[in-house]
Amino acid sequence: MSAFSMSLLLRKAARPLGVAAALFTLCLTLLSAGSGPSSYLHGIDVSRYQQEVDWKHVKDSNINFAFIKATEGDFLKDPFFDRNWEQSRQQGIKRGAYHYYLPWVPVEKQIAHFLNTVSLQPGDLAPVLDVETYAEDIPDAHMRRDIRQWLSAVEEHYGVKPIIYTYQRFYDRKLRGHFPNHHFWIARYQNVEPSTHPSDKMAFWQYSEKGTVSGIDAPVDVNWFYGDLEDLSAHCVPAALPSREVIAQFK
């Protein structure tokens, strides 16, 4: 039985006794301490709010992957991105970069900003589009069209299908059922797993924004990946295929 299945059974069984939250929190605590099965991986996401991260200590804390903020809108580059990007690689932590989407900024400029900032290597995690900002004067259909344009352009550039990050309420109101071809990374706290539309696929759960990880002197977002290392590789930039010229040399 998976750790998440076990936790859900504990929660349901304990509900009549009024201790469901305590049991579920205990289960998550045990998992984050490294006692969970290998089929679920623990990771973090960081930005300037974590300041200077000691990635050596992060690696020693059973962290398998890290998403790192790269860009926002068409102008902002996270001041710690270059440092986090290189030092996470040096420690062998599987890394991914994300872009914070602003719905009032032309999507073409946001695409160019991300592509000009982030250079991915084979084995890096797929790019992430962070979609969580409301703009009341922009129709939902327009926003979703821009999101699709970002996802399509970024996939074409890097050769891997991007991931969509959001939180449960925004997902329910704006995104639910509209992106069946992409995996979601959803934030939902209070010890409750995210819920998704039957046609949608979820790969990552951000279960807290108040995690404590060695090497980081501030609260940090903590996440589970629904799978093992082999499953995680399906969300990574593939190894480059040899060019036709190289293949021709061996014929």
mmCIF file of all heavy atoms in Angstrom, residues 39-81:
data_model
loop_
_atom_site.group_PDB
_atom_site.id
_atom_site.type_symbol
_atom_site.label_atom_id
_atom_site.label_comp_id
_atom_site.label_asym_id
_atom_site.label_seq_id
_atom_site.Cartn_x
_atom_site.Cartn_y
_atom_site.Cartn_z
ATOM 1 N N SER A 39 8.712 4.999 -3.374
ATOM 2 C CA SER A 39 7.895 5.366 -4.516
ATOM 3 C C SER A 39 7.350 6.789 -4.428
ATOM 4 O O SER A 39 6.627 7.217 -5.310
ATOM 5 C CB SER A 39 6.731 4.386 -4.658
ATOM 6 O OG SER A 39 5.953 4.371 -3.488
ATOM 7 N N TYR A 40 7.669 7.525 -3.371
ATOM 8 C CA TYR A 40 7.309 8.923 -3.261
ATOM 9 C C TYR A 40 8.559 9.720 -2.911
ATOM 10 O O TYR A 40 9.314 9.333 -2.025
ATOM 11 C CB TYR A 40 6.215 9.143 -2.206
ATOM 12 C CG TYR A 40 4.912 8.536 -2.610
ATOM 13 C CD1 TYR A 40 4.563 7.250 -2.193
ATOM 14 C CD2 TYR A 40 4.034 9.225 -3.440
ATOM 15 C CE1 TYR A 40 3.373 6.675 -2.595
ATOM 16 C CE2 TYR A 40 2.838 8.653 -3.836
ATOM 17 C CZ TYR A 40 2.520 7.381 -3.415
ATOM 18 O OH TYR A 40 1.341 6.805 -3.815
ATOM 19 N N LEU A 41 8.750 10.830 -3.610
ATOM 20 C CA LEU A 41 9.966 11.614 -3.450
ATOM 21 C C LEU A 41 9.644 12.966 -2.825
ATOM 22 O O LEU A 41 8.626 13.583 -3.132
ATOM 23 C CB LEU A 41 10.649 11.822 -4.804
ATOM 24 C CG LEU A 41 11.022 10.564 -5.580
ATOM 25 C CD1 LEU A 41 11.673 10.956 -6.908
ATOM 26 C CD2 LEU A 41 11.945 9.669 -4.776
ATOM 27 N N HIS A 42 10.547 13.410 -1.980
ATOM 28 C CA HIS A 42 10.379 14.671 -1.267
ATOM 29 C C HIS A 42 11.200 15.755 -1.953
ATOM 30 O O HIS A 42 12.344 15.535 -2.334
ATOM 31 C CB HIS A 42 10.854 14.495 0.185
ATOM 32 C CG HIS A 42 10.283 15.491 1.131
ATOM 33 N ND1 HIS A 42 10.893 15.835 2.297
ATOM 34 C CD2 HIS A 42 9.141 16.228 1.082
ATOM 35 C CE1 HIS A 42 10.159 16.724 2.945
ATOM 36 N NE2 HIS A 42 9.091 16.979 2.222
ATOM 37 N N GLY A 43 10.612 16.952 -2.110
ATOM 38 C CA GLY A 43 11.324 18.040 -2.752
ATOM 39 C C GLY A 43 10.903 19.390 -2.214
ATOM 40 O O GLY A 43 9.977 19.498 -1.392
ATOM 41 N N ILE A 44 11.574 20.433 -2.681
ATOM 42 C CA ILE A 44 11.306 21.795 -2.237
ATOM 43 C C ILE A 44 11.175 22.702 -3.455
ATOM 44 O O ILE A 44 11.517 22.317 -4.571
ATOM 45 C CB ILE A 44 12.430 22.326 -1.321
ATOM 46 C CG1 ILE A 44 13.780 22.296 -2.057
ATOM 47 C CG2 ILE A 44 12.501 21.537 -0.017
ATOM 48 C CD1 ILE A 44 14.930 22.940 -1.290
ATOM 49 N N ASP A 45 10.663 23.908 -3.216
ATOM 50 C CA ASP A 45 10.785 24.971 -4.219
ATOM 51 C C ASP A 45 11.239 26.237 -3.505
ATOM 52 O O ASP A 45 10.817 26.525 -2.380
ATOM 53 C CB ASP A 45 9.491 25.176 -5.000
ATOM 54 C CG ASP A 45 8.282 25.456 -4.139
ATOM 55 O OD1 ASP A 45 7.709 24.498 -3.593
ATOM 56 O OD2 ASP A 45 7.906 26.631 -4.013
ATOM 57 N N VAL A 46 12.142 26.984 -4.167
ATOM 58 C CA VAL A 46 12.792 28.118 -3.520
ATOM 59 C C VAL A 46 12.773 29.332 -4.437
ATOM 60 O O VAL A 46 12.645 29.229 -5.662
ATOM 61 C CB VAL A 46 14.249 27.790 -3.129
ATOM 62 C CG1 VAL A 46 14.296 26.643 -2.128
ATOM 63 C CG2 VAL A 46 15.080 27.454 -4.361
ATOM 64 N N SER A 47 12.938 30.491 -3.806
ATOM 65 C CA SER A 47 13.061 31.758 -4.518
ATOM 66 C C SER A 47 13.886 32.688 -3.638
ATOM 67 O O SER A 47 14.537 32.239 -2.685
ATOM 68 C CB SER A 47 11.679 32.353 -4.799
ATOM 69 O OG SER A 47 11.045 32.711 -3.577
ATOM 70 N N ARG A 48 13.829 33.966 -3.918
ATOM 71 C CA ARG A 48 14.608 34.937 -3.143
ATOM 72 C C ARG A 48 14.222 34.946 -1.674
ATOM 73 O O ARG A 48 15.004 35.385 -0.821
ATOM 74 C CB ARG A 48 14.438 36.332 -3.724
ATOM 75 C CG ARG A 48 13.022 36.886 -3.683
ATOM 76 C CD ARG A 48 12.935 38.225 -4.402
ATOM 77 N NE ARG A 48 11.579 38.741 -4.447
ATOM 78 C CZ ARG A 48 11.041 39.515 -3.501
ATOM 79 N NH1 ARG A 48 11.762 39.819 -2.423
ATOM 80 N NH2 ARG A 48 9.810 39.956 -3.618
ATOM 81 N N TYR A 49 13.032 34.462 -1.350
ATOM 82 C CA TYR A 49 12.584 34.489 0.044
ATOM 83 C C TYR A 49 13.412 33.562 0.937
ATOM 84 O O TYR A 49 13.447 33.739 2.155
ATOM 85 C CB TYR A 49 11.107 34.110 0.125
ATOM 86 C CG TYR A 49 10.216 35.116 -0.571
ATOM 87 C CD1 TYR A 49 9.571 34.785 -1.769
ATOM 88 C CD2 TYR A 49 10.041 36.395 -0.066
ATOM 89 C CE1 TYR A 49 8.775 35.707 -2.419
ATOM 90 C CE2 TYR A 49 9.246 37.324 -0.720
ATOM 91 C CZ TYR A 49 8.615 36.979 -1.899
ATOM 92 O OH TYR A 49 7.830 37.892 -2.555
ATOM 93 N N GLN A 50 14.060 32.580 0.356
ATOM 94 C CA GLN A 50 14.930 31.683 1.138
ATOM 95 C C GLN A 50 16.370 32.193 1.197
ATOM 96 O O GLN A 50 17.212 31.555 1.826
ATOM 97 C CB GLN A 50 14.893 30.268 0.548
ATOM 98 C CG GLN A 50 13.645 29.476 0.903
ATOM 99 C CD GLN A 50 12.399 29.964 0.224
ATOM 100 O OE1 GLN A 50 12.390 30.239 -0.980
ATOM 101 N NE2 GLN A 50 11.319 30.097 0.978
ATOM 102 N N GLN A 51 16.658 33.287 0.510
ATOM 103 C CA GLN A 51 17.992 33.885 0.512
ATOM 104 C C GLN A 51 19.048 32.868 0.053
ATOM 105 O O GLN A 51 18.825 32.132 -0.882
ATOM 106 C CB GLN A 51 18.298 34.465 1.898
ATOM 107 C CG GLN A 51 17.338 35.571 2.324
ATOM 108 C CD GLN A 51 17.506 36.854 1.525
ATOM 109 O OE1 GLN A 51 18.594 37.406 1.430
ATOM 110 N NE2 GLN A 51 16.424 37.309 0.920
ATOM 111 N N GLU A 52 20.187 32.818 0.729
ATOM 112 C CA GLU A 52 21.288 31.938 0.315
ATOM 113 C C GLU A 52 21.093 30.541 0.896
ATOM 114 O O GLU A 52 21.215 30.333 2.100
ATOM 115 C CB GLU A 52 22.637 32.521 0.738
ATOM 116 C CG GLU A 52 22.992 33.798 -0.014
ATOM 117 C CD GLU A 52 24.441 34.215 0.204
ATOM 118 O OE1 GLU A 52 25.162 33.531 0.967
ATOM 119 O OE2 GLU A 52 24.849 35.222 -0.389
ATOM 120 N N VAL A 53 20.814 29.611 0.027
ATOM 121 C CA VAL A 53 20.577 28.222 0.427
ATOM 122 C C VAL A 53 21.889 27.462 0.460
ATOM 123 O O VAL A 53 22.714 27.593 -0.447
ATOM 124 C CB VAL A 53 19.601 27.542 -0.558
ATOM 125 C CG1 VAL A 53 19.447 26.057 -0.232
ATOM 126 C CG2 VAL A 53 18.254 28.262 -0.556
ATOM 127 N N ASP A 54 22.103 26.682 1.514
ATOM 128 C CA ASP A 54 23.267 25.787 1.584
ATOM 129 C C ASP A 54 22.840 24.447 0.981
ATOM 130 O O ASP A 54 22.255 23.605 1.658
ATOM 131 C CB ASP A 54 23.705 25.606 3.036
ATOM 132 C CG ASP A 54 24.994 24.793 3.161
ATOM 133 O OD1 ASP A 54 25.260 23.953 2.272
ATOM 134 O OD2 ASP A 54 25.729 24.992 4.137
ATOM 135 N N TRP A 55 23.135 24.269 -0.295
ATOM 136 C CA TRP A 55 22.611 23.107 -1.018
ATOM 137 C C TRP A 55 23.264 21.805 -0.568
ATOM 138 O O TRP A 55 22.673 20.731 -0.745
ATOM 139 C CB TRP A 55 22.775 23.313 -2.515
ATOM 140 C CG TRP A 55 21.802 24.332 -3.030
ATOM 141 C CD1 TRP A 55 22.022 25.658 -3.248
ATOM 142 C CD2 TRP A 55 20.418 24.101 -3.338
ATOM 143 N NE1 TRP A 55 20.872 26.280 -3.684
ATOM 144 C CE2 TRP A 55 19.870 25.342 -3.765
ATOM 145 C CE3 TRP A 55 19.605 22.975 -3.324
ATOM 146 C CZ2 TRP A 55 18.542 25.477 -4.142
ATOM 147 C CZ3 TRP A 55 18.275 23.103 -3.697
ATOM 148 C CH2 TRP A 55 17.755 24.350 -4.107
ATOM 149 N N LYS A 56 24.440 21.860 0.017
ATOM 150 C CA LYS A 56 25.072 20.646 0.556
ATOM 151 C C LYS A 56 24.208 20.077 1.684
ATOM 152 O O LYS A 56 23.946 18.872 1.741
ATOM 153 C CB LYS A 56 26.474 20.972 1.067
ATOM 154 C CG LYS A 56 27.177 19.830 1.813
ATOM 155 C CD LYS A 56 27.558 18.700 0.861
ATOM 156 C CE LYS A 56 28.520 17.725 1.511
ATOM 157 N NZ LYS A 56 27.941 17.042 2.702
ATOM 158 N N HIS A 57 23.753 20.941 2.578
ATOM 159 C CA HIS A 57 22.905 20.487 3.676
ATOM 160 C C HIS A 57 21.523 20.067 3.163
ATOM 161 O O HIS A 57 20.915 19.143 3.707
ATOM 162 C CB HIS A 57 22.778 21.585 4.733
ATOM 163 C CG HIS A 57 23.984 21.728 5.601
ATOM 164 N ND1 HIS A 57 25.017 22.587 5.316
ATOM 165 C CD2 HIS A 57 24.346 21.083 6.748
ATOM 166 C CE1 HIS A 57 25.952 22.486 6.236
ATOM 167 N NE2 HIS A 57 25.569 21.572 7.122
ATOM 168 N N VAL A 58 21.025 20.750 2.146
ATOM 169 C CA VAL A 58 19.752 20.354 1.555
ATOM 170 C C VAL A 58 19.849 18.930 1.015
ATOM 171 O O VAL A 58 18.966 18.100 1.242
ATOM 172 C CB VAL A 58 19.341 21.338 0.435
ATOM 173 C CG1 VAL A 58 18.133 20.800 -0.331
ATOM 174 C CG2 VAL A 58 19.031 22.709 1.018
ATOM 175 N N LYS A 59 20.922 18.639 0.302
ATOM 176 C CA LYS A 59 21.119 17.305 -0.253
ATOM 177 C C LYS A 59 21.135 16.251 0.841
ATOM 178 O O LYS A 59 20.584 15.148 0.682
ATOM 179 C CB LYS A 59 22.430 17.263 -1.044
ATOM 180 C CG LYS A 59 22.801 15.895 -1.584
ATOM 181 C CD LYS A 59 21.829 15.410 -2.656
ATOM 182 C CE LYS A 59 22.284 14.114 -3.284
ATOM 183 N NZ LYS A 59 21.324 13.631 -4.306
ATOM 184 N N ASP A 60 21.747 16.573 1.967
ATOM 185 C CA ASP A 60 21.848 15.631 3.083
ATOM 186 C C ASP A 60 20.528 15.466 3.838
ATOM 187 O O ASP A 60 20.437 14.656 4.749
ATOM 188 C CB ASP A 60 22.935 16.081 4.061
ATOM 189 C CG ASP A 60 24.335 16.022 3.441
ATOM 190 O OD1 ASP A 60 24.513 15.282 2.441
ATOM 191 O OD2 ASP A 60 25.231 16.717 3.948
ATOM 192 N N SER A 61 19.511 16.245 3.456
ATOM 193 C CA SER A 61 18.217 16.202 4.152
ATOM 194 C C SER A 61 17.178 15.378 3.400
ATOM 195 O O SER A 61 15.977 15.574 3.580
ATOM 196 C CB SER A 61 17.697 17.635 4.351
ATOM 197 O OG SER A 61 18.600 18.405 5.117
ATOM 198 N N ASN A 62 17.646 14.480 2.527
ATOM 199 C CA ASN A 62 16.753 13.592 1.796
ATOM 200 C C ASN A 62 15.827 14.356 0.855
ATOM 201 O O ASN A 62 14.665 13.992 0.656
ATOM 202 C CB ASN A 62 15.926 12.734 2.769
ATOM 203 C CG ASN A 62 15.290 11.528 2.086
ATOM 204 O OD1 ASN A 62 15.854 10.971 1.146
ATOM 205 N ND2 ASN A 62 14.127 11.120 2.561
ATOM 206 N N ILE A 63 16.350 15.434 0.264
ATOM 207 C CA ILE A 63 15.612 16.194 -0.737
ATOM 208 C C ILE A 63 16.031 15.692 -2.112
ATOM 209 O O ILE A 63 17.211 15.727 -2.466
ATOM 210 C CB ILE A 63 15.898 17.703 -0.604
ATOM 211 C CG1 ILE A 63 15.378 18.219 0.734
ATOM 212 C CG2 ILE A 63 15.278 18.474 -1.758
ATOM 213 C CD1 ILE A 63 13.892 18.051 0.951
ATOM 214 N N ASN A 64 15.067 15.230 -2.896
ATOM 215 C CA ASN A 64 15.354 14.617 -4.195
ATOM 216 C C ASN A 64 15.255 15.577 -5.368
ATOM 217 O O ASN A 64 15.839 15.328 -6.420
ATOM 218 C CB ASN A 64 14.403 13.441 -4.439
ATOM 219 C CG ASN A 64 14.552 12.344 -3.412
ATOM 220 O OD1 ASN A 64 13.682 12.158 -2.561
ATOM 221 N ND2 ASN A 64 15.648 11.607 -3.479
ATOM 222 N N PHE A 65 14.494 16.641 -5.204
ATOM 223 C CA PHE A 65 14.337 17.574 -6.325
ATOM 224 C C PHE A 65 14.053 18.969 -5.781
ATOM 225 O O PHE A 65 13.623 19.145 -4.629
ATOM 226 C CB PHE A 65 13.205 17.133 -7.265
ATOM 227 C CG PHE A 65 11.843 17.075 -6.621
ATOM 228 C CD1 PHE A 65 11.005 18.189 -6.618
ATOM 229 C CD2 PHE A 65 11.391 15.911 -6.023
ATOM 230 C CE1 PHE A 65 9.760 18.143 -6.031
ATOM 231 C CE2 PHE A 65 10.131 15.844 -5.434
ATOM 232 C CZ PHE A 65 9.317 16.967 -5.432
ATOM 233 N N ALA A 66 14.289 19.964 -6.628
ATOM 234 C CA ALA A 66 14.038 21.351 -6.245
ATOM 235 C C ALA A 66 13.585 22.144 -7.460
ATOM 236 O O ALA A 66 14.217 22.079 -8.522
ATOM 237 C CB ALA A 66 15.296 21.980 -5.660
ATOM 238 N N PHE A 67 12.494 22.856 -7.302
ATOM 239 C CA PHE A 67 12.065 23.818 -8.305
ATOM 240 C C PHE A 67 12.542 25.202 -7.867
ATOM 241 O O PHE A 67 12.358 25.589 -6.704
ATOM 242 C CB PHE A 67 10.546 23.804 -8.464
ATOM 243 C CG PHE A 67 10.027 22.592 -9.179
ATOM 244 C CD1 PHE A 67 9.309 21.613 -8.507
ATOM 245 C CD2 PHE A 67 10.248 22.429 -10.541
ATOM 246 C CE1 PHE A 67 8.822 20.497 -9.167
ATOM 247 C CE2 PHE A 67 9.768 21.312 -11.218
ATOM 248 C CZ PHE A 67 9.053 20.347 -10.526
ATOM 249 N N ILE A 68 13.130 25.936 -8.797
ATOM 250 C CA ILE A 68 13.797 27.199 -8.488
ATOM 251 C C ILE A 68 13.161 28.314 -9.306
ATOM 252 O O ILE A 68 13.053 28.202 -10.534
ATOM 253 C CB ILE A 68 15.305 27.090 -8.799
ATOM 254 C CG1 ILE A 68 15.928 25.974 -7.938
ATOM 255 C CG2 ILE A 68 16.015 28.418 -8.582
ATOM 256 C CD1 ILE A 68 17.326 25.569 -8.382
ATOM 257 N N LYS A 69 12.769 29.384 -8.644
ATOM 258 C CA LYS A 69 12.167 30.491 -9.383
ATOM 259 C C LYS A 69 13.207 31.144 -10.276
ATOM 260 O O LYS A 69 14.300 31.493 -9.830
ATOM 261 C CB LYS A 69 11.573 31.537 -8.447
ATOM 262 C CG LYS A 69 10.858 32.646 -9.218
ATOM 263 C CD LYS A 69 10.153 33.641 -8.319
ATOM 264 C CE LYS A 69 9.425 34.687 -9.154
ATOM 265 N NZ LYS A 69 8.699 35.671 -8.315
ATOM 266 N N ALA A 70 12.838 31.334 -11.543
ATOM 267 C CA ALA A 70 13.733 31.971 -12.499
ATOM 268 C C ALA A 70 13.246 33.365 -12.866
ATOM 269 O O ALA A 70 13.994 34.342 -12.760
ATOM 270 C CB ALA A 70 13.851 31.111 -13.759
ATOM 271 N N THR A 71 11.987 33.468 -13.301
ATOM 272 C CA THR A 71 11.506 34.716 -13.877
ATOM 273 C C THR A 71 10.078 35.013 -13.441
ATOM 274 O O THR A 71 9.358 34.139 -12.963
ATOM 275 C CB THR A 71 11.555 34.654 -15.412
ATOM 276 O OG1 THR A 71 10.877 33.461 -15.854
ATOM 277 C CG2 THR A 71 12.980 34.628 -15.928
ATOM 278 N N GLU A 72 9.697 36.275 -13.650
ATOM 279 C CA GLU A 72 8.337 36.724 -13.373
ATOM 280 C C GLU A 72 7.979 37.794 -14.399
ATOM 281 O O GLU A 72 8.763 38.717 -14.638
ATOM 282 C CB GLU A 72 8.240 37.295 -11.963
ATOM 283 C CG GLU A 72 6.869 37.824 -11.604
ATOM 284 C CD GLU A 72 6.775 38.269 -10.148
ATOM 285 O OE1 GLU A 72 7.494 37.706 -9.295
ATOM 286 O OE2 GLU A 72 5.979 39.185 -9.871
ATOM 287 N N GLY A 73 6.802 37.653 -14.992
ATOM 288 C CA GLY A 73 6.387 38.626 -15.989
ATOM 289 C C GLY A 73 7.385 38.712 -17.127
ATOM 290 O O GLY A 73 7.891 37.705 -17.625
ATOM 291 N N ASP A 74 7.674 39.951 -17.552
ATOM 292 C CA ASP A 74 8.624 40.151 -18.653
ATOM 293 C C ASP A 74 9.846 40.945 -18.231
ATOM 294 O O ASP A 74 10.595 41.427 -19.073
ATOM 295 C CB ASP A 74 7.933 40.858 -19.823
ATOM 296 C CG ASP A 74 7.466 42.266 -19.458
ATOM 297 O OD1 ASP A 74 7.406 42.583 -18.247
ATOM 298 O OD2 ASP A 74 7.161 43.050 -20.376
ATOM 299 N N PHE A 75 10.055 41.062 -16.904
ATOM 300 C CA PHE A 75 11.131 41.943 -16.453
ATOM 301 C C PHE A 75 11.954 41.392 -15.298
ATOM 302 O O PHE A 75 13.152 41.650 -15.197
ATOM 303 C CB PHE A 75 10.546 43.297 -16.020
ATOM 304 C CG PHE A 75 9.620 43.189 -14.836
ATOM 305 C CD1 PHE A 75 10.080 43.378 -13.546
ATOM 306 C CD2 PHE A 75 8.281 42.870 -15.019
ATOM 307 C CE1 PHE A 75 9.226 43.265 -12.454
ATOM 308 C CE2 PHE A 75 7.413 42.750 -13.935
ATOM 309 C CZ PHE A 75 7.891 42.957 -12.648
ATOM 310 N N LEU A 76 11.331 40.616 -14.409
ATOM 311 C CA LEU A 76 12.003 40.239 -13.171
ATOM 312 C C LEU A 76 12.717 38.898 -13.311
ATOM 313 O O LEU A 76 12.134 37.923 -13.793
ATOM 314 C CB LEU A 76 10.998 40.157 -12.019
ATOM 315 C CG LEU A 76 11.562 39.933 -10.616
ATOM 316 C CD1 LEU A 76 10.662 40.629 -9.583
ATOM 317 C CD2 LEU A 76 11.682 38.455 -10.257
ATOM 318 N N LYS A 77 13.965 38.887 -12.894
ATOM 319 C CA LYS A 77 14.725 37.644 -12.734
ATOM 320 C C LYS A 77 15.034 37.498 -11.257
ATOM 321 O O LYS A 77 15.517 38.439 -10.620
ATOM 322 C CB LYS A 77 16.016 37.679 -13.549
ATOM 323 C CG LYS A 77 16.901 36.450 -13.345
ATOM 324 C CD LYS A 77 18.187 36.555 -14.145
ATOM 325 C CE LYS A 77 19.104 35.376 -13.872
ATOM 326 N NZ LYS A 77 20.384 35.471 -14.625
ATOM 327 N N ASP A 78 14.739 36.327 -10.704
ATOM 328 C CA ASP A 78 15.005 36.121 -9.283
ATOM 329 C C ASP A 78 16.489 36.333 -9.008
ATOM 330 O O ASP A 78 17.347 35.726 -9.670
ATOM 331 C CB ASP A 78 14.592 34.712 -8.861
ATOM 332 C CG ASP A 78 14.591 34.546 -7.362
ATOM 333 O OD1 ASP A 78 15.674 34.345 -6.776
ATOM 334 O OD2 ASP A 78 13.510 34.639 -6.753
ATOM 335 N N PRO A 79 16.830 37.180 -8.037
ATOM 336 C CA PRO A 79 18.243 37.498 -7.804
ATOM 337 C C PRO A 79 19.088 36.324 -7.332
ATOM 338 O O PRO A 79 20.320 36.380 -7.419
ATOM 339 C CB PRO A 79 18.187 38.596 -6.731
ATOM 340 C CG PRO A 79 16.851 38.423 -6.075
ATOM 341 C CD PRO A 79 15.930 37.936 -7.151
ATOM 342 N N PHE A 80 18.451 35.261 -6.861
ATOM 343 C CA PHE A 80 19.191 34.089 -6.395
ATOM 344 C C PHE A 80 19.135 32.936 -7.399
ATOM 345 O O PHE A 80 19.639 31.853 -7.104
ATOM 346 C CB PHE A 80 18.650 33.633 -5.035
ATOM 347 C CG PHE A 80 18.991 34.567 -3.907
ATOM 348 C CD1 PHE A 80 18.143 35.616 -3.587
ATOM 349 C CD2 PHE A 80 20.167 34.433 -3.182
ATOM 350 C CE1 PHE A 80 18.447 36.494 -2.572
ATOM 351 C CE2 PHE A 80 20.486 35.300 -2.167
ATOM 352 C CZ PHE A 80 19.624 36.346 -1.849
ATOM 353 N N PHE A 81 18.530 33.176 -8.562
ATOM 354 C CA PHE A 81 18.356 32.069 -9.496
ATOM 355 C C PHE A 81 19.682 31.458 -9.930
ATOM 356 O O PHE A 81 19.868 30.231 -9.864
ATOM 357 C CB PHE A 81 17.568 32.504 -10.734
ATOM 358 C CG PHE A 81 17.509 31.431 -11.789
ATOM 359 C CD1 PHE A 81 16.790 30.263 -11.587
ATOM 360 C CD2 PHE A 81 18.219 31.565 -12.977
ATOM 361 C CE1 PHE A 81 16.755 29.255 -12.548
ATOM 362 C CE2 PHE A 81 18.190 30.566 -13.950
ATOM 363 C CZ PHE A 81 17.456 29.407 -13.722
#
